[in-house]
Amino acid sequence: MTDLFTPLELGPYTIPNRIVLAPMTRCRAGAGNAPHALNAEYYAQRAGGGLLITEATQVTPRGVGYPATPGIYSPQQQAGWKLVTDAVHRAGGRIFAQLWHVGRISHPAFQPGGETPVSSSAVACEGQIRLPDGTTAPYPTPRALTIDEIRGVIADFRHGAEVALRAGFDGVELHGANGYLPDQFLRDGVNQRTDAYGGPVENRARFMLEIVRELTEVWGPSRVGVRLSPSGAFNGMHDSAPRATFGYAVTELGKLGLAFLHIMEAQESDLKHGPARSPAYEALPASHFRGLFKGVLITNGAFSYEKATAYIREGHADAIAFGELYLANPDLPERFRRLAAGRRDVPFNPPDYPTFYGGGARGYTDYPFLSDR
Ligand SMILES: Cc1cc2nc3c(=O)[nH]c(=O)nc-3n(C[C@H](O)[C@H](O)[C@H](O)COP(=O)(O)O)c2cc1C
């Protein structure tokens, strides 16, 4: 019977288990927003998973909205990521870079020259953003990208993919989830354009699909994945017809022969805020997309060992990404292996929330391994 430890064909790779490190921003990049030795150690510690996906990494300095997030556009960043990929490969793992542009989830304080952040439309995110100096401010109203600028951002993603290739990654994942730029084009809660990139879903999905096509030109389709959050309300997101919007996007992605589709399932906060934002809110699990996407389907969102095993057995998904549990347990696959062998006395480190974002080794590379006990 298929379980978390059944190998999986993922593009050109045979991954030894179906445990994926979910992408997690940790705000610990070094000078020039470049990864450094500490980041390499963090990822190498987690190399036992079948696939690691990096924290979101911006493809341009205009794609930044948080302090100390790594970029993937400069030679220094390329060299920093090479430390990471080499360390993961030495430890026997495979790692994809998550390519990112925050769009409106930013502030002039993060932008080169103090410029206004960009988005599909001039619609501000509700709520407050934390600035580099630790204070908060309302999200500014972004500026709508012109068609020429859209071409420029797509080129930025292509360049990020090229840097990722030179940095020794095994593939790339487009961050199409969580209310960042591609999602700001896809969902009509933000996108109010009337040109070729707005209006009907065929137009709203165009930006994401054009980016994905560029990524597949650089990497070949079988080493490109896409992450979507059809049920996500994070970053003020909503849509007037989520089933139709994501149904179209997934169907089109399904024609490209990608490495995988990575669907985030509804979280408690989505179920709480989603219906308040839009009466059309609907929680769409990964299994909803099974029929639309024939390739490898990864899912994620508060999965335990037991729930993940049941999901794989029932065929709802091919692999499961773990976030907080993997953050706090670098040897998560080994702990799961013991549970799979029928042991009941397997302890798990609890996550330390105050050290999630920013800082050094504490709460990052110092979570104990089972072998430390
Ligand atoms: C500290 C932290 C940082 C995160 N950063 C990202 C990110 O950079 N990109 C992304 O797609 N999701 C990000 N997420 C979401 C996770 O990938 C994942 O979807 C979420 O934690 C739910 O999975 P879990 O319940 O297994 O933790 C982040 C989550 C956490 C806890």
Side-chain angles (χ1 to χ4, degrees), residues 22-25 56 98 175 178 227 264 300-302 323-324 356-357:
M24 279 181 289
T25 293
Q98 190 186 51
H175 194 346
N178 293 350
R227 188 174 221 219
M264 292 170 66
N300 161 257
E324 292 186 10
F356 270 20
Y357 302 103

Side-chain angles (χ1 to χ4, degrees), residues 21-26 53-57 98 100 173-178 180 227 234 262 264-265 267 300-304 320-327 353 356-357:
L21 174 68
M24 279 181 289
T25 293
R26 304 303 308 275
I53 303 173
T54 69
E55 64 210 278
T57 176
Q98 190 186 51
W100 191 35
E173 176 184 86
L174 173 66
H175 194 346
N178 293 350
Y180 297 111
R227 188 174 221 219
F234 183 59
H262 186 174
M264 292 170 66
E265 305 224 322
Q267 303 295 285
N300 161 257
F303 276 85
S304 60
I320 309 289
F322 298 88
E324 292 186 10
L325 202 54
Y326 212 159
L327 180 157
Y353 296 103
F356 270 20
Y357 302 103

Side-chain angles (χ1 to χ4, degrees), residues 108-264:
F110 286 108
Q111 294 289 316
E115 285 171 22
T116 302
V118 296
S119 184
S120 57
S121 298
V123 177
C125 182
E126 60 201 53
Q128 302 271 319
I129 180 168
R130 184 168 292 276
L131 301 179
D133 66 6
T135 61
T136 54
Y139 283 103
T141 301
R143 191 171 62 73
L145 288 162
T146 65
I147 296 263
D148 264 3
E149 288 173 326
I150 288 175
R151 294 200 182 104
V153 176
I154 294 169
D156 290 336
F157 273 98
R158 183 187 179 104
H159 179 248
E162 288 166 350
V163 174
L165 191 61
R166 291 196 289 268
F169 279 101
D170 300 295
V172 289
E173 176 184 86
L174 173 66
H175 194 346
N178 293 350
Y180 297 111
L181 191 57
D183 207 15
Q184 291 163 29
F185 272 84
L186 185 61
R187 293 200 249 181
D188 63 8
V190 181
N191 187 341
Q192 306 188 346
R193 301 177 75 94
T194 52
D195 60 10
Y197 290 90
V201 63
E202 294 78 5
N203 286 354
R204 283 182 280 122
R206 191 182 309 282
F207 179 65
M208 180 181 300
L209 292 170
E210 287 183 353
I211 295 171
V212 173
R213 265 184 219 112
E214 296 287 335
L215 305 186
T216 62
E217 272 183 38
V218 176
W219 277 93
S222 69
R223 294 189 291 171
V224 174
V226 176
R227 188 174 221 219
L228 297 176
S229 52
S231 314
F234 183 59
N235 281 331
M237 294 310 288
H238 56 95
D239 189 79
S240 64
R243 216 173 249 256
T245 296
F246 285 93
Y248 175 79
V250 167
T251 302
E252 291 304 303
L253 290 170
K255 295 175 183 169
L256 304 177
L258 300 178
F260 61 82
L261 175 68
H262 186 174
I263 295 279
M264 292 170 66

